[in-house]
Amino acid sequence: MTDIDQIASRNSNSKRIAPDRISWDKALFAPRRVALVGASATPGKLGYLFMQNLIAPQSGFGGEVIAVHPKLTEILDRPAYANLSAVPGGVDLAVIVAPPGEIPAIMVDCAAARVPVAIIISGGFAETGDAGRMLEQRIVATARSGGVRLIGPNCFGVISASAGLNASLGIGMPAQGGIALYTQSGAYGMAAFTQSQEELIGFSRVVACGNKVDLDETDVLQAFGEDPETRVIAMLLESIGDGRRFFEAAREIAQRKPIVILKTGRSEAGRRAAASHTAALATDSAITLSALRQAGIRVVDDGLTLLDLAAALDRQPPLAGRRIAIISNSGGTGVEIADLLESRGLQVPKLSEPLQAAIRPVLPAYGSAANPIDVTTEWRRFPEMYGSSLAALIDSDETDAVVPVLLQRSALMSEVTDRVIAEVAAARARGSRKPVHVCWVGSDAAEDNRRRLLTAGIPCHAWPARTAQVLALSAPAGRSQPRGATARPVARPPIGVDGGWLSSDLAFSLIADAGLPVAPWRIAGSRAEAIAAAETLGMPIVLKAEQAGLIHKSDSGGVRLGLVTTAAVGEAYDDVANRLGTTTVLLQRQARPGVELVLGARRDATFGPVVMAGLGGIWVEALGDVALRLAPFDDAEALAMLDQLKGRALLNGSRGQPAIDCAALASLIARLSTWTAGAPWLEELDANPVIANADGFVVVDVRMRVSASSNDVQAQSRRGTGGETPS
Amino acid sequence: MTDIDQIASRNSNSKRIAPDRISWDKALFAPRRVALVGASATPGKLGYLFMQNLIAPQSGFGGEVIAVHPKLTEILDRPAYANLSAVPGGVDLAVIVAPPGEIPAIMVDCAAARVPVAIIISGGFAETGDAGRMLEQRIVATARSGGVRLIGPNCFGVISASAGLNASLGIGMPAQGGIALYTQSGAYGMAAFTQSQEELIGFSRVVACGNKVDLDETDVLQAFGEDPETRVIAMLLESIGDGRRFFEAAREIAQRKPIVILKTGRSEAGRRAAASHTAALATDSAITLSALRQAGIRVVDDGLTLLDLAAALDRQPPLAGRRIAIISNSGGTGVEIADLLESRGLQVPKLSEPLQAAIRPVLPAYGSAANPIDVTTEWRRFPEMYGSSLAALIDSDETDAVVPVLLQRSALMSEVTDRVIAEVAAARARGSRKPVHVCWVGSDAAEDNRRRLLTAGIPCHAWPARTAQVLALSAPAGRSQPRGATARPVARPPIGVDGGWLSSDLAFSLIADAGLPVAPWRIAGSRAEAIAAAETLGMPIVLKAEQAGLIHKSDSGGVRLGLVTTAAVGEAYDDVANRLGTTTVLLQRQARPGVELVLGARRDATFGPVVMAGLGGIWVEALGDVALRLAPFDDAEALAMLDQLKGRALLNGSRGQPAIDCAALASLIARLSTWTAGAPWLEELDANPVIANADGFVVVDVRMRVSASSNDVQAQSRRGTGGETPS
């Protein structure tokens, strides 16, 4: 009997099944009854640790905890049953810590008992090799056919702070708060846990999906997005399964809640380790990071910043502008933090004379009200100086955030802490949404004050560099109102030769159809045709060998530039034909010089269609100065791409060159993006160079590769998958 | 009677003067007798705090502490005298905490008592305005004429750990160690103090010079360089007085001891605050940072990193290569740190099969020996896995540093700490100089282990980002063996017109004399001369209006390119002459296209002659892609300039362009640097563009500005000042 037959048999025998299953996320985050399969009364065993975590009074779980055990009827004072179907009222959440070999049978039990969701903590599956992978597949098949959603296997587990549920390896509950954490690394979950306790970082949920055999980062992201207890979403991702689906979900949610992500495995060594660690191939790093930012996600580089930024965003509103005010009892530290803020693109503007005049009366004569506000070392007046200037700065419209630096003596004085807390509370009561972040340089003796600030919702970043980093990252990522763009299907061209490369003739036709400006061209099969074509197009002429797959034409001598007479065209034809053995050439009128751009597109295995734009020639070769976006997108997104180029200033015109019409260029890039999204057969496109000059834009050369026809059906169907059920 | 007369009078009256003064640094760091002027027995007063700090038994000061007080004969059980000359045996160090108005008289007393060095803690001088500045100048004049060196005024004070001397505002002594800290910010000194106690950062000396009226950052740097107790020098600089002198001293010392510097005031807001804070004009930030790096200094961006890096360099040898090995009990954290290391230019190479084979036997089957080494969660085997793999990695020649990640459980286990300490000690005993840095992600419960590691000299950086940052910065800065280059004096040209600008004719002559390749040119004063010159030079011709000070010739239509006939030359002459009203033009044969470079030189007010090299045209305009060095320097330094350009790849040749002869280019830049150093009258030079192509290099345009003749005497004499006595 197969596992699935067993479910059917069990279902028909059972009379105690819950009549309707609640949704997996409700079952996971607010279960009425949790069953621990593999529960143990023996200290040191995993089944004992999880039992303790679930029933710990300080966790405050309000539901029932039930043990599943083949023989016992009670474990640690909780009722035990032989199987899940025997549990009165049904089980919302099954937590499984049994040996891997026993889990197929347990999954049959879960399905029979109509358990909405199960967490498999145990390892020993795909991460260990082929046998484990087969075992995993068997469990997934059973769960799918039985309607059981799975977290894991090989994972840290799940914490739901508001429900008091600790179904994780972490000992003790983290502080309760608004951060939902998804972590692909169990160790990171443990470390976050400790950090929560020491930095008072409050979590709503913690979820680790381990091998992600069913529920994955996108499912969890969507659940976090809908979760009323969650204000900020933090994710540590080692791999992303379906990049396009994740992108679409994140883009929608990021408009309502901040999402902060650390994507590891960016480096070569990182990818090597990630591959061995999660059995998932890393996708191309640049595309992944671009896509995350395009979705409006705040992308960070390390795990500590992930937590710190999430906590800051949970405590304070995001930074809505770039102008920062600093109040410091150390002139030197004020200068240091100003340097660091400006290096991160923020500003520390000199305050207006009226605002300085409002602040100056509380300062000593040697203080400065210019910004940074220097309250000097007159410590007896610290509470009033910090308090009054903080209030004035919060209420002014000259700055977008205020950073009180509490350093040594000012950190030690509880009266300063009192005033800062009171002024922020009063400002919030007045409706102010201006963020206040403390830069903390205090000794251990001042720890009580730091904890009081944190408890009052005021972030305390250690030392200036950390303050500047977190404050800068707290600004909204990407565009606040991403607008979609709609793709229309593009008919598939004939299959290319030589690995899918199309002829230049065909490639030019296709992008001209796409609405891109192309230099008029002619194909010629003889010297006479070449001369006739040149006369039609007008001099100067460029002549190129027409040979699909001949990628670096200029390197192989397949390109002749600047031909100004018919004789020269004829000679060039003969030369190219003789040397390359091709009789077909492409002729174009040579474009006038201008700024060289590069546009491109490719289909990424996980994120789907991607468009690239950058400065061409040496810029892309020497600097890799390009911007990437998932297609399709609108003109505004394309403008944002141009703004992120290192050589952006080049588009403004210089040395006698006119400025480039960036709006027109953006529109052209957006057009390429909608066309690319409608052409699932397109594997790769490279328009390089695209010349921009006073005449406008013109694509001078293009290469295009298409998939074998069987592939794009698959590609289209994968892109169509957007639902939550992977079955 | 002036102060100076008073000294003379007092000297003649006194019989108790110490016969020979010791050097100021010996007097400051190891005084036999310290006098506190302004001592007080009243708690809360500064004179009480300093008395307490000087006599605190836990500081362990072995010398005598003496109070100076107008009336009392004893303060806090120490003898008090009415003035310094009355102290038996003489005073090595006077610490002054008196009100500013009393300090001129105290300085007379110091001079009369032949005190080698005095620290003026009190503020109320130049930082408060003109009256304070005048008071300060009076004190300095007295000190100089009396041979008293000064630290301060308006400063944090001085700590000499090995002498047990705490003559600072900091309460308690920092841990003793090899770091000498110079800080221009008193608050930073306090914060460093706390950090010392909490992070076990050990100091040899702490010096703050406040307003720097006499001894400054260079004097202190030189003293630290000679100090046998000091292994690492850390400096927080808000301003640098004589940049050239500091550079020369640092370059020499950096070959023997690591120097780490934070230079604040890099941003606009930072400079505003710095100017109000230290009454010192900030020098141009790019020149300062380039000069510090050129001297071999490790430059950091923030104060916490200054301390952390100095501590790491005091604990471990510097990183001698780029290859890092990681040992982790969290695969995810291993990936994270690998990403971060690679983003900082380090490598996490896959280990060779033999090395993996040596490590693999201690790991579980699911572990990885590839790098990062993943010891998995098998915690019972942690000590052996960490210990064995650490030993193997230290002894291998495949890596340049080892980073054990101690995270949660591995951090908590004292046996792991024991093994790490033992393996590092054993390796040092074997003569290994390979650095080991721990990445620490431990809870408070593991604090004892962290402190044991620190005490054993193993840095413990919190979380991966910090680890990667400090490890990367610990690599030697700049070239290990900077060689000098000698400048020969260059004769001064006639003074320029229009703000010092020279004619193109003269400027071309000068740089041709300097040995730079210049396109042959002719000056013409009429149409006929222009045509004759063109025929001599050969076509195509460039014709430029010859007008000193006409900076943007091409913008004003003063340049005509690509003239290929005598008729065209004649027409161009008439056109330029008519439009610009000049009769003199410069003609050159037009250079063939190539890569455009820019070379330049300027005289910085504090650092003296500086040379700039970069990629010209759009690169310098859009990216500011240039490298700076203080002149003179050798070819190797010039090659390092080229290597730091963002567009460096452009010099390798691309798109049919040949590679540029970088050795020849470097030689040319070095030649410009020696010439610039020999021409103190040169204010500014801009050779732009310099065209590099298959023909070699050619300077196509040059602008040059010289100083009014009176200035360069001053400039030369300032540059010549290299001694320690600023008098």
Side-chain angles (χ1 to χ4, degrees):
Chain A
M1 198 159 69
T2 68
D3 295 342
I4 293 166
D5 293 336
Q6 285 187 39
I7 303 169
S9 145
R10 290 275 297 275
N11 275 352
S12 65
N13 294 340
S14 171
K15 300 279 173 276
R16 308 176 71 162
I17 303 161
D20 52 338
R21 277 193 269 205
I22 58 176
S23 68
W24 71 263
D25 51 335
K26 194 169 173 203
L28 192 64
F29 298 141
R32 294 161 298 190
R33 273 170 301 281
V34 179
L36 180 64
V37 187
S40 168
T42 310
K45 292 215 165 190
L46 203 58
Y48 179 85
L49 171 74
F50 269 78
M51 200 70 197
Q52 290 284 11
N53 280 354
L54 286 167
I55 67 177
Q58 59 273 31
S59 297
F61 179 53
E64 288 174 58
V65 176
I66 292 135
V68 171
H69 194 278
K71 283 165 280 181
L72 300 177
T73 58
E74 202 183 272
I75 294 181
L76 297 175
D77 299 331
R78 304 285 158 151
Y81 297 90
N83 61 59
L84 291 158
S85 300
V87 177
V91 168
D92 289 335
L93 172 62
V95 181
I96 302 169
V97 294
E102 297 175 15
I103 296 183
I106 293 167
M107 202 46 54
V108 170
D109 189 22
C110 287
R114 294 178 55 81
V115 173
V117 62
I119 305 169
I120 307 176
I121 302 294
S122 324
F125 295 93
E127 78 279 9
T128 65
D130 285 341
R133 188 170 297 111
M134 285 177 63
L135 190 61
E136 195 174 277
Q137 284 163 358
R138 185 175 156 200
I139 291 164
V140 173
T142 305
R144 289 201 176 162
S145 68
V148 183
R149 302 307 302 262
L150 294 182
I151 297 275
N154 185 30
C155 74
F156 172 74
V158 172
I159 291 167
S160 175
S162 62
L165 175 76
N166 180 4
S168 83
L169 287 161
I171 296 167
M173 284 294 271
Q176 199 169 328
I179 303 170
L181 173 67
Y182 172 90
T183 171
Q184 211 162 324
S185 158
Y188 183 78
M190 306 277 273
F193 205 87
T194 297
Q195 197 70 3
S196 160
Q197 295 171 326
E198 291 169 13
E199 296 295 314
L200 307 185
I201 297 178
F203 291 94
S204 56
R205 325 283 180 206
V206 179
V207 177
C209 286
N211 292 5
K212 303 193 292 188
V213 293
D214 175 19
L215 292 166
D216 67 6
E217 58 279 346
T218 306
D219 300 303
V220 174
L221 171 64
Q222 286 172 326
F224 287 167
E226 298 304 319
D227 177 13
E229 314 268 345
T230 293
R231 291 183 297 264
V232 179
I233 298 169
M235 307 183 89
L236 170 75
L237 300 175
E238 293 180 0
S239 65
I240 299 178
D242 183 338
R244 177 60 66 152
R245 185 172 158 246
F246 187 83
F247 169 78
E248 300 291 355
R251 180 155 68 169
E252 187 274 317
I253 294 166
Q255 293 180 63
R256 294 181 277 115
K257 294 181 186 185
I259 306 175
V260 187
I261 290 185
L262 166 63
K263 171 66 180 69
T264 62
R266 303 184 299 275
S267 67
E268 202 199 326
R271 279 194 300 279
R272 192 167 62 237
S276 71
H277 190 60
T278 67
L281 259 171
T283 59
D284 180 80
S285 177
I287 292 176
T288 304
L289 296 180
S290 293
L292 296 179
R293 294 197 179 99
Q294 185 180 351
I297 293 164
R298 291 163 170 90
V299 178
V300 300
D301 289 337
D302 70 281
L304 186 58
T305 304
L306 179 64
L307 292 176
D308 283 356
L309 177 57
L313 287 165
D314 190 27
R315 290 184 163 119
Q316 292 283 305
L319 183 62
R322 297 168 56 191
R323 303 162 307 163
I324 314 297
I326 300 165
I327 310 168
S328 179
N329 59 323
S330 157
T333 305
V335 175
E336 182 188 347
I337 196 167
D339 284 347
L340 293 162
L341 288 168
E342 296 205 357
S343 77
R344 291 185 174 274
L346 301 178
Q347 299 161 350
V348 184
K350 187 171 182 176
L351 302 181
S352 70
E353 192 41 53
L355 184 52
Q356 289 196 47
I359 292 170
R360 201 173 283 122
V362 299
L363 303 180
Y366 312 143
S368 169
N371 193 21
I373 310 291
D374 186 350
V375 301
T376 77
T377 53
E378 290 273 333
W379 60 271
R380 286 183 186 80
R381 292 160 66 183
F382 279 173
E384 174 58 16
M385 293 192 291
Y386 274 96
S388 295
S389 53
L390 177 56
L393 291 165
I394 291 177
D395 287 345
S396 94
D397 57 4
E398 295 181 24
T399 63
D400 301 301
V402 188
V403 177
V405 177
L406 299 188
L407 178 140
Q408 299 295 106
R409 188 132 210 172
S410 56
L412 264 175
M413 290 173 68
S414 61
E415 303 89 332
V416 174
T417 292
D418 292 342
R419 276 300 292 269
V420 170
I421 292 172
E423 293 299 347
V424 172
R428 293 287 172 264
R430 290 193 299 275
S432 168
R433 296 271 300 156
K434 190 175 290 186
V436 176
H437 291 234
V438 162
C439 171
W440 182 263
V441 191
S443 64
D444 282 351
E447 179 63 12
D448 275 355
N449 289 333
R450 192 178 76 96
R451 294 181 86 88
R452 285 202 299 129
L453 286 161
L454 291 174
T455 305
I458 300 168
C460 291
H461 309 293
W463 290 69
R466 196 96 198 110
T467 310
Q469 183 187 21
V470 176
L471 189 58
L473 287 168
S474 78
R479 298 160 54 215
S480 55
Q481 292 290 331
R483 277 158 291 169
T486 316
R488 275 176 304 183
V490 181
R492 182 191 178 85
I495 293 179
V497 296
D498 197 11
W501 292 101
L502 303 184
S503 69
S504 297
D505 190 27
L506 187 49
F508 270 119
S509 298
L510 284 166
I511 63 162
D513 288 347
L516 300 198
V518 171
W521 77 96
R522 291 283 184 286
I523 299 295
S526 68
R527 180 185 171 114
E529 281 179 22
I531 290 170
E535 286 176 326
T536 308
L537 292 165
M539 307 289 173
I541 282 289
V542 183
L543 180 148
K544 303 173 191 172
E546 169 63 339
Q547 221 175 327
L550 183 62
I551 303 313
H552 297 294
K553 293 194 190 83
S554 59
D555 292 349
S556 59
V559 178
R560 295 288 300 269
L561 297 165
L563 308 171
V564 291
T565 63
T566 52
V569 171
E571 179 276 322
Y573 178 88
D574 289 345
D575 172 55
V576 167
N578 287 339
R579 274 189 301 106
L580 301 182
T582 175
T583 55
T584 310
V585 299
L586 183 145
L587 297 98
Q588 282 174 306
R589 182 166 181 172
Q590 186 164 332
R592 293 201 297 160
V595 175
E596 291 191 8
L597 306 168
V598 56
L599 300 181
R602 58 167 284 211
R603 185 155 310 275
D604 182 75
T606 173
F607 284 101
V610 178
V611 161
M612 179 183 94
L615 293 162
I618 53 172
W619 289 84
V620 63
E621 286 169 26
L623 285 183
D625 187 17
V626 297
L628 298 165
R629 291 294 187 281
L630 303 198
F633 50 80
D634 63 9
D635 290 19
E637 191 72 52
L639 264 180
M641 292 174 81
L642 299 180
D643 285 342
Q644 99 183 42
L645 296 177
K646 298 189 197 90
R648 173 68 178 80
L650 203 63
L651 304 179
N652 299 337
S654 64
R655 326 190 95 219
Q657 292 278 1
I660 285 175
D661 181 346
C662 286
L665 176 57
S667 173
L668 193 154
I669 297 168
R671 211 175 308 145
L672 175 63
S673 85
T674 50
W675 182 82
T676 299
W681 42 265
L682 180 74
E683 286 288 329
E684 199 175 326
L685 178 159
D686 196 15
N688 183 18
V690 177
I691 293 183
N693 57 27
D695 304 333
F697 304 95
V698 61
V699 178
V700 166
D701 208 352
V702 64
R703 302 187 294 125
M704 201 182 290
R705 189 166 63 83
V706 302
S707 62
S709 62
S710 57
N711 287 356
D712 60 298
V713 178
Q714 196 187 346
Q716 260 182 323
S717 104
R718 197 186 49 65
R719 285 197 309 115
T721 303
E724 284 192 39
T725 314
S727 62
Chain B
M1 196 161 70
T2 67
D3 294 342
I4 293 166
D5 293 338
Q6 285 187 42
I7 303 170
S9 142
R10 290 274 297 276
N11 274 351
S12 66
N13 296 340
S14 172
K15 301 279 173 275
R16 309 177 71 164
I17 303 162
D20 52 341
R21 276 194 271 206
I22 58 177
S23 67
W24 70 263
D25 51 335
K26 195 171 171 201
L28 192 64
F29 297 141
R32 294 161 297 192
R33 271 169 303 280
V34 179
L36 181 63
V37 187
S40 168
T42 311
K45 291 214 166 190
L46 203 58
Y48 179 83
L49 171 73
F50 268 79
M51 201 69 197
Q52 290 284 10
N53 280 353
L54 286 166
I55 69 177
Q58 59 272 33
S59 297
F61 179 53
E64 288 176 58
V65 176
I66 292 135
V68 172
H69 194 278
K71 284 165 279 181
L72 300 177
T73 59
E74 201 183 275
I75 295 182
L76 296 175
D77 298 332
R78 303 286 160 150
Y81 297 89
N83 61 58
L84 289 159
S85 300
V87 177
V91 168
D92 289 333
L93 170 63
V95 181
I96 303 169
V97 294
E102 296 176 14
I103 296 183
I106 293 168
M107 202 47 54
V108 170
D109 189 20
C110 285
R114 294 177 55 81
V115 173
V117 62
I119 305 170
I120 307 176
I121 302 294
S122 323
F125 295 91
E127 78 279 10
T128 66
D130 284 342
R133 189 170 297 110
M134 286 176 63
L135 189 62
E136 194 173 276
Q137 284 164 0
R138 185 173 157 203
I139 292 164
V140 173
T142 307
R144 288 202 177 163
S145 68
V148 183
R149 302 308 301 261
L150 294 181
I151 297 274
N154 184 30
C155 74
F156 171 76
V158 173
I159 292 167
S160 175
S162 62
L165 175 76
N166 180 5
S168 84
L169 288 160
I171 297 168
M173 284 293 270
Q176 197 169 330
I179 303 170
L181 174 68
Y182 172 90
T183 172
Q184 212 163 323
S185 159
Y188 183 78
M190 306 277 273
F193 206 86
T194 297
Q195 198 69 5
S196 159
Q197 295 172 324
E198 291 170 13
E199 296 296 314
L200 306 185
I201 299 178
F203 291 94
S204 57
R205 324 285 181 206
V206 179
V207 177
C209 285
N211 293 5
K212 304 192 291 188
V213 294
D214 175 19
L215 291 166
D216 67 4
E217 57 280 344
T218 306
D219 300 304
V220 175
L221 171 64
Q222 286 172 327
F224 287 167
E226 298 304 319
D227 177 12
E229 314 267 344
T230 293
R231 292 183 296 264
V232 179
I233 298 169
M235 308 184 88
L236 170 76
L237 300 175
E238 292 179 1
S239 65
I240 299 177
D242 183 338
R244 177 62 66 153
R245 186 171 158 247
F246 186 84
F247 170 78
E248 300 291 356
R251 181 155 68 168
E252 187 274 316
I253 294 165
Q255 293 179 64
R256 295 181 277 115
K257 295 182 186 185
I259 306 175
V260 186
I261 288 185
L262 167 62
K263 171 68 180 67
T264 63
R266 302 184 300 274
S267 67
E268 202 198 324
R271 280 194 301 277
R272 193 166 63 239
S276 71
H277 188 61
T278 66
L281 261 171
T283 59
D284 181 79
S285 177
I287 291 176
T288 304
L289 296 181
S290 293
L292 296 179
R293 293 198 179 97
Q294 185 181 352
I297 292 165
R298 290 165 172 89
V299 178
V300 300
D301 290 335
D302 71 281
L304 186 57
T305 304
L306 178 64
L307 293 176
D308 283 355
L309 177 58
L313 287 165
D314 191 26
R315 290 184 162 119
Q316 292 284 304
L319 183 62
R322 297 169 56 192
R323 304 162 305 162
I324 315 298
I326 300 165
I327 310 168
S328 179
N329 58 323
S330 158
T333 306
V335 175
E336 182 187 347
I337 198 167
D339 283 347
L340 293 161
L341 289 167
E342 296 206 358
S343 76
R344 292 186 172 274
L346 301 178
Q347 300 161 348
V348 183
K350 186 172 183 175
L351 303 181
S352 71
E353 191 41 50
L355 184 51
Q356 289 196 47
I359 291 170
R360 201 172 286 124
V362 299
L363 303 179
Y366 314 143
S368 169
N371 194 20
I373 310 290
D374 186 351
V375 301
T376 78
T377 53
E378 290 272 333
W379 60 271
R380 287 183 186 79
R381 291 159 66 182
F382 278 172
E384 174 58 15
M385 293 192 291
Y386 274 95
S388 294
S389 53
L390 176 56
L393 290 164
I394 292 176
D395 287 346
S396 94
D397 57 3
E398 295 180 25
T399 63
D400 301 301
V402 188
V403 177
V405 177
L406 300 187
L407 178 140
Q408 299 294 102
R409 188 131 210 173
S410 55
L412 265 174
M413 289 173 68
S414 61
E415 303 90 333
V416 174
T417 292
D418 292 342
R419 277 298 294 268
V420 170
I421 292 172
E423 294 299 346
V424 172
R428 294 286 172 266
R430 288 193 299 274
S432 168
R433 296 270 302 156
K434 190 175 290 184
V436 176
H437 290 234
V438 162
C439 171
W440 182 262
V441 191
S443 64
D444 282 352
E447 179 63 12
D448 275 355
N449 289 335
R450 192 178 76 97
R451 294 181 87 88
R452 286 203 297 131
L453 286 161
L454 292 174
T455 305
I458 300 168
C460 290
H461 309 295
W463 291 70
R466 196 97 199 110
T467 310
Q469 183 187 21
V470 176
L471 189 58
L473 287 167
S474 78
R479 299 161 54 217
S480 55
Q481 292 291 331
R483 277 156 290 170
T486 317
R488 275 176 303 183
V490 181
R492 183 189 176 88
I495 292 179
V497 297
D498 195 11
W501 292 102
L502 301 184
S503 67
S504 297
D505 189 28
L506 187 49
F508 270 119
S509 298
L510 284 165
I511 63 161
D513 287 348
L516 301 197
V518 170
W521 77 97
R522 290 282 184 286
I523 300 295
S526 68
R527 179 186 172 112
E529 280 180 23
I531 290 170
E535 285 175 329
T536 309
L537 292 165
M539 307 288 173
I541 280 291
V542 183
L543 180 149
K544 304 174 191 173
E546 170 63 336
Q547 222 175 324
L550 182 62
I551 301 313
H552 296 292
K553 293 194 190 85
S554 59
D555 293 349
S556 60
V559 178
R560 295 287 301 268
L561 296 166
L563 309 171
V564 292
T565 63
T566 52
V569 171
E571 179 277 322
Y573 178 88
D574 289 344
D575 172 55
V576 166
N578 288 339
R579 276 189 298 107
L580 301 181
T582 174
T583 55
T584 311
V585 300
L586 182 143
L587 297 98
Q588 281 175 307
R589 183 166 181 173
Q590 186 165 332
R592 293 201 297 158
V595 175
E596 290 191 9
L597 306 168
V598 56
L599 300 181
R602 58 167 283 209
R603 185 156 311 275
D604 181 76
T606 173
F607 284 101
V610 178
V611 162
M612 178 182 92
L615 292 162
I618 54 171
W619 289 85
V620 65
E621 287 170 25
L623 285 183
D625 187 17
V626 297
L628 298 164
R629 292 293 187 280
L630 303 197
F633 49 82
D634 62 8
D635 291 19
E637 191 73 52
L639 263 181
M641 293 174 82
L642 299 180
D643 284 341
Q644 99 184 42
L645 296 177
K646 298 189 197 86
R648 173 68 178 81
L650 203 62
L651 305 179
N652 298 336
S654 62
R655 324 191 97 219
Q657 292 277 0
I660 286 173
D661 182 347
C662 286
L665 177 57
S667 173
L668 193 154
I669 297 168
R671 211 176 306 144
L672 174 63
S673 85
T674 49
W675 182 82
T676 299
W681 41 265
L682 180 73
E683 286 288 330
E684 199 174 326
L685 178 159
D686 195 15
N688 183 18
V690 179
I691 292 182
N693 57 27
D695 303 334
F697 304 95
V698 61
V699 178
V700 166
D701 208 354
V702 65
R703 303 187 293 124
M704 201 182 289
R705 190 166 64 82
V706 303
S707 63
S709 62
S710 57
N711 287 355
D712 60 299
V713 179
Q714 195 186 344
Q716 259 182 323
S717 104
R718 197 186 48 65
R719 285 197 308 116
T721 304
E724 284 193 39
T725 313
S727 62

